[in-house]
Amino acid sequence: MTYVTKIYMPDREKFKLYIDGIYESGWLTNNGPLVQKLEKKLEEHLGVKNLLCLSNGTTALQFAYRLLEMEGEVITTPFSFVSTTSAIVAENLTPIFADIDKKSYNIYPKNIVNKITEKTCAIAPCHVFGNACDIERIDEIAKKYNIKVIYDASHAFDVKYKNRHILNYGDISIVSFHATKIFHTIEGAAIVIKDDALYEKAKVLRNYGIDKADSVSILGINAKMNEFEAAMGLCMLDELDLIVKEREKSHNFYVKELKDYVQLQEKNSKATQSYSYFPIVFRDEYEMKRVREELLKENIVARQYFKPSLDTLPYIQTYEIMHNSRDIANRILVIPMHSDIEPKVAETIVKTIKGE
């Protein structure tokens, strides 16, 4: 079977060297040397400051809301992975959805403005499929209404906006290091914090609120990355250029072959291209289902990212239908695009979509 994503496994011997070191030191977690090394290397690679590695992306989102001591309503996108919304609910905040732009699949800034009330404490956009949001407009809105911006940049590890890495924007940005991502640490994530004082607080928060031996200063959580995960991340960084280059080949092939047959995501012209996913949108749901079933007959799995539209989740109350999000969710497929995809498979995907 060929799946939408495939986990990239870096050089085994290099990884083994790190594991041998872990066995020798006996240091498995609690801000170990490999975690600290990875954080420094990531800051250098991404051109950011105040980066902390955490246990996973969902925890990172919850961590951001807790760090900022949020209360009230968070305006967010209905078109993303479920954790974008569930993290809000888990922190006893209320998600308020603002519908997406049907071309970029990102939250539409004008819709954000229409949702702001005296209860609004934050905007939580997502750079969907690594496509940069309208960062400048969102920043203008946040400053005008004095509210925070927490970006879900889970898919945007490899993206720059106006020559700066996308994690530099917002009060806080989080990025996922899940095993299926371009850069991964098996499980894991990172949070990038603009404010230096908040960064110092975050280091305490991720370790149960313990600020020194026998002293707990705040209500914290266990959000630490362990040494085995950091070792994987260090290996992945060494091979990142190769990973991106291979994905770029598949991406460019799909664009060339499919641009006249399906709707492709409209990219932000101020940002670099992400090679995380390749979404395509069909004329209607019937055509989407036909292609998905035909691909499955060829042992190729394409998936409807992101379905369901998050305004339909059973554990939240919504008072307005997110028409654009639901429409795109019903017509979208994400097709396989990863380092190991075989040319024959990519050709079969293209022919199936074209109906050849």
Side-chain angles (χ1 to χ4, degrees):
M1 299 292 287
T2 300
Y3 295 94
V4 170
T5 58
K6 183 176 181 180
I7 296 169
Y8 183 90
M9 302 295 283
D11 184 83
R12 185 189 295 235
E13 292 305 312
K14 186 176 290 186
F15 186 59
K16 184 178 180 297
L17 287 174
Y18 281 118
I19 301 308
D20 290 343
I22 294 171
Y23 269 80
E24 288 171 15
S25 71
W27 197 340
L28 303 183
T29 184
N30 287 333
N31 199 31
L34 295 184
V35 169
Q36 294 179 49
K37 182 177 180 180
L38 179 61
E39 288 174 343
K40 288 177 183 177
K41 278 186 166 287
L42 285 171
E43 286 184 340
E44 292 169 3
H45 178 83
L46 301 173
V48 300
K49 68 169 189 173
N50 296 346
L51 180 146
L52 285 179
C53 287
L54 302 178
S55 53
N56 60 68
T58 305
T59 297
L61 285 168
Q62 290 183 236
F63 190 94
Y65 298 121
R66 190 171 298 196
L67 182 64
L68 291 167
E69 299 181 6
M70 307 246 90
E71 292 181 356
E73 298 175 347
V74 178
I75 298 172
T76 190
T77 175
F79 191 71
S80 179
F81 186 61
V82 63
S83 61
T84 305
T85 292
S86 63
I88 296 169
V89 176
E91 290 302 309
N92 297 311
L93 298 163
T94 302
I96 302 296
F97 294 109
D99 210 353
I100 62 171
D101 174 75
K102 290 181 79 169
K103 294 181 179 179
S104 71
Y105 315 151
N106 284 331
I107 193 168
Y108 189 52
K110 185 177 180 181
N111 292 338
I112 294 173
V113 175
N114 295 336
K115 301 295 181 180
I116 293 174
T117 71
E118 68 280 358
K119 295 180 180 178
T120 306
C121 61
I123 306 167
C126 177
H127 304 298
V128 177
F129 302 123
N131 186 29
C133 292
D134 188 343
I135 289 171
E136 289 161 313
R137 182 68 184 115
I138 291 170
D139 185 57
E140 287 173 7
I141 295 167
K143 286 177 178 174
K144 179 179 179 179
Y145 293 96
N146 193 29
I147 50 184
K148 301 294 186 182
V149 180
I150 297 106
Y151 276 112
D152 183 342
S154 290
H155 305 153
F157 180 84
D158 54 336
V159 176
K160 288 184 177 179
Y161 182 83
K162 300 183 85 172
N163 296 319
R164 296 179 69 212
H165 195 277
I166 205 165
L167 293 175
N168 282 292
Y169 297 92
D171 295 278
I172 292 176
S173 281
I174 75 98
V175 60
S176 172
F177 297 157
H178 183 264
T180 57
K181 299 295 190 287
I182 282 180
F183 170 84
H184 76 82
T185 58
I186 307 170
E187 286 279 5
I191 186 168
V192 176
I193 304 160
K194 183 172 287 185
D195 183 82
D196 293 342
L198 272 181
Y199 170 65
E200 294 303 320
K201 178 182 173 183
K203 288 191 279 189
V204 177
L205 183 67
R206 73 170 170 179
N207 187 34
Y208 304 97
I210 299 170
D211 58 351
K212 54 187 175 181
D214 304 319
S215 174
V216 178
S217 59
I218 56 175
L219 175 62
I221 57 176
N222 179 12
K224 302 185 299 294
M225 177 180 285
N226 66 57
E227 289 290 271
F228 289 94
E229 291 169 334
M232 177 61 74
L234 290 166
C235 292
M236 289 292 294
L237 264 183
D238 288 341
E239 300 181 31
L240 190 60
D241 288 345
L242 174 64
I243 297 167
V244 172
K245 193 175 290 185
E246 289 300 315
R247 282 174 174 255
E248 185 179 6
K249 286 180 187 176
S250 297
H251 174 274
N252 292 343
F253 173 72
Y254 285 145
V255 169
K256 179 184 175 184
E257 295 293 330
L258 297 176
K259 62 184 178 181
D260 297 326
Y261 292 87
V262 291
Q263 176 187 326
L264 302 182
Q265 186 180 25
E266 187 176 277
K267 303 298 184 179
N268 189 323
S269 61
K270 297 176 183 178
T272 60
Q273 176 69 57
S274 172
Y275 302 109
S276 296
Y277 299 93
F278 199 91
I280 55 176
V281 173
F282 294 88
R283 290 189 303 270
D284 51 45
E285 188 175 4
Y286 171 81
E287 182 68 7
M288 179 277 297
K289 287 181 176 178
R290 180 196 69 79
V291 170
R292 186 179 61 186
E293 289 166 6
E294 289 297 318
L295 288 174
L296 199 55
K297 291 176 185 176
E298 301 289 339
N299 293 321
I300 300 168
V301 178
R303 293 189 59 186
Q304 279 183 272
Y305 293 166
F306 295 98
K307 192 171 184 179
S309 178
L310 299 178
D311 62 306
T312 67
L313 292 174
Y315 48 81
I316 58 173
Q317 280 190 321
T318 53
Y319 303 97
E320 182 182 347
I321 295 173
M322 297 291 106
H323 292 285
N324 290 351
S325 177
R326 293 190 188 192
D327 177 47
I328 295 298
N330 284 334
R331 296 188 289 126
I332 197 168
L333 278 183
V334 175
I335 56 178
M337 185 185 73
H338 46 73
S339 306
D340 290 333
I341 191 165
E342 297 176 6
K344 259 188 191 177
V345 172
E347 289 169 9
T348 299
I349 291 169
V350 166
K351 288 179 180 179
T352 304
I353 292 168
K354 290 180 175 180
E356 295 178 356

